[in-house]
Amino acid sequence: MFVKADLIKNDIFDIDYKKLKNDGIKLIIFDLDSTIMRSKSGSYDTRTLELFEEIKTMFQVCVMSNNTNEKYIKKVQRITPFEVYGMVKKPNPYFIKQYIEKYKFENNEVVIIGDRPLTDILVGNKIGINSILVDSINRKEESKLTRFVRRLERLFLIK
Ligand SMILES: [Mg+2]
């Protein structure tokens, strides 16, 4: 099983959102943990909130997380300026597909942005939407083991 991300970027700040807009993207689906929020921190950096304010005027934006902790997701919902869903079960495409159909987006108008090839990028490939792989937002604080697992998972990427 191999996966292909359309773009590979350092982090969410390294993405050219104006270009996405010009390329016809209308819906951005963010992964939560390690993509837009430091793992288990339950809060956003100021820089992230500023980015949200900018891009929510340009796109429909939502967050699709596999996190099953209801309390945590509720907390995140309160501090996020767009919709947040937990228990999405990526790489199962069901929930995200339903969402895209509900809002009548074409697949080529949608991009999923996440840090995990085998969940975020794989689900994007399964549905046929665009995908951007980013490195962990808290990569500098991650343990050697976590970094090692990340490198292993990237072996499934086709460049
Ligand atoms: Mg993640």
Side-chain angles (χ1 to χ4, degrees), residues 139 141-153:
R139 59 186 173 276
E141 297 113 62
E142 286 180 339
S143 68
K144 276 191 174 154
L145 179 65
T146 302
R147 297 302 301 167
F148 177 68
V149 172
R150 283 189 181 281
R151 278 202 297 279
L152 274 188
E153 198 175 322

Side-chain angles (χ1 to χ4, degrees), residues 31-35 114-116 120:
D31 166 53
L32 176 63
D33 292 301
S34 300
T35 297
D115 68 302
R116 299 281 308 275
D120 306 315

Side-chain angles (χ1 to χ4, degrees), residues 20 23 27 30 35-36 38 51 63 66 84 106 108 116 130 139:
L20 292 184
D23 288 345
L27 170 64
F30 279 119
T35 297
I36 54 175
R38 288 162 200 275
L51 179 69
V63 179
N66 278 2
V84 178
E106 299 293 332
N108 59 11
R116 299 281 308 275
N130 304 284
R139 59 186 173 276

Side-chain angles (χ1 to χ4, degrees), residues 14-80:
D14 189 31
I15 294 169
D16 186 345
Y17 293 94
K18 286 200 182 83
K19 184 170 188 312
L20 292 184
K21 183 86 191 166
N22 291 336
D23 288 345
I25 295 297
K26 293 179 179 168
L27 170 64
I28 292 179
I29 300 170
F30 279 119
D31 166 53
L32 176 63
D33 292 301
S34 300
T35 297
I36 54 175
M37 182 178 277
R38 288 162 200 275
S39 192
K40 296 178 188 78
S41 70
S43 65
Y44 292 114
D45 297 344
T46 311
R47 201 181 164 205
T48 306
L49 289 168
E50 284 167 3
L51 179 69
F52 286 169
E53 288 307 310
E54 189 189 325
I55 61 174
K56 79 176 196 194
T57 64
M58 303 164 69
F59 307 94
Q60 180 164 331
V61 186
C62 69
V63 179
M64 298 276 186
S65 173
N66 278 2
N67 203 305
T68 55
N69 182 333
E70 244 177 272
K71 255 186 150 178
Y72 175 77
I73 292 294
K74 283 224 171 80
K75 185 181 175 193
V76 173
Q77 282 167 339
R78 283 197 294 274
I79 58 168
T80 306

Side-chain angles (χ1 to χ4, degrees), residues 91-114:
N92 182 328
Y94 183 79
F95 191 87
I96 296 178
K97 254 184 137 166
Q98 295 276 100
Y99 183 92
I100 292 169
E101 279 163 23
K102 180 181 162 193
Y103 288 101
K104 299 188 167 56
F105 288 110
E106 299 293 332
N107 282 346
N108 59 11
E109 296 170 336
V110 183
V111 65
I112 184 164
I113 302 172

